[in-house]
Amino acid sequence: ETCLDPEGPQPYILMTLGRSGSGSTWQVIGNLTGYETPSHEYTGGGPAKSERFFKKIGGDTDRWLLRYLCSKQLMFGQAGVVGFKWKPFDTIFGPSAQAAFRRMASLKRPEIKVVRSRRNLLDVVISKYK
């Protein structure tokens, strides 16, 4: 059913908008689990990039999600967690994103964990000026 190794690093997705501290959150989660992996905004760091990503993969498919997470497990077998940062732009309502969410909900071993990170709006505004 899946190429994910239940004994391998825990697959997870950090869902967060820009200027929310996702880089440091990624570092903390990695370090707390034993090994920090590089963070990557795989589905795109902005609305246009996200649109291009989902247009490129096309169709109602979740294969992109599993392929990426499986490759991360193989690449970073010594890590505690592997995954990517997903910026939830409008593309989150498209068929490929929805298929990925259905797949995440259906997997039991291993589960794909989703970490949602939010930042106070005032902090976001202030951080743009530093």
Side-chain angles (χ1 to χ4, degrees):
E1 180 179 307
T2 177
C3 56
L4 291 171
D5 180 1
E7 305 303 319
Q10 171 66 54
Y12 88 105
I13 296 168
L14 177 58
M15 296 203 85
T16 180
L17 290 174
R19 310 294 314 158
S20 63
S22 62
S24 56
T25 302
W26 188 271
Q27 286 180 313
V28 167
I29 291 172
N31 286 318
L32 286 175
T33 59
Y35 183 87
E36 180 188 338
T37 61
S39 67
H40 186 220
E41 293 169 349
Y42 182 56
T43 58
K49 288 181 180 179
S50 184
E51 225 172 280
R52 279 194 303 274
F53 173 83
F54 283 105
K55 185 178 274 189
K56 181 180 169 189
I57 63 170
D60 182 12
T61 177
D62 59 12
R63 289 188 300 268
W64 65 270
L65 174 72
L66 293 179
R67 270 197 308 267
Y68 188 75
L69 290 174
C70 291
S71 73
K72 288 293 188 180
Q73 276 192 327
L74 290 173
M75 199 179 312
F76 300 104
Q78 73 279 20
V81 295
V82 293
F84 61 94
K85 296 190 290 188
W86 188 341
K87 306 285 184 172
F89 302 109
D90 286 347
T91 52
I92 204 165
F93 301 109
S96 294
Q98 292 297 305
F101 285 126
R102 284 191 298 276
R103 172 59 79 151
M104 283 188 262
S106 72
L107 287 177
K108 300 297 178 228
R109 192 167 187 319
E111 291 179 320
I112 299 173
K113 305 291 186 183
V114 178
V115 176
R116 181 173 174 243
S117 173
R118 293 185 347 176
R119 187 172 184 185
N120 178 294
L121 183 57
L122 181 59
D123 289 340
V124 173
V125 171
I126 292 170
S127 76
K128 289 181 181 183
Y129 294 103
K130 59 179 208 177

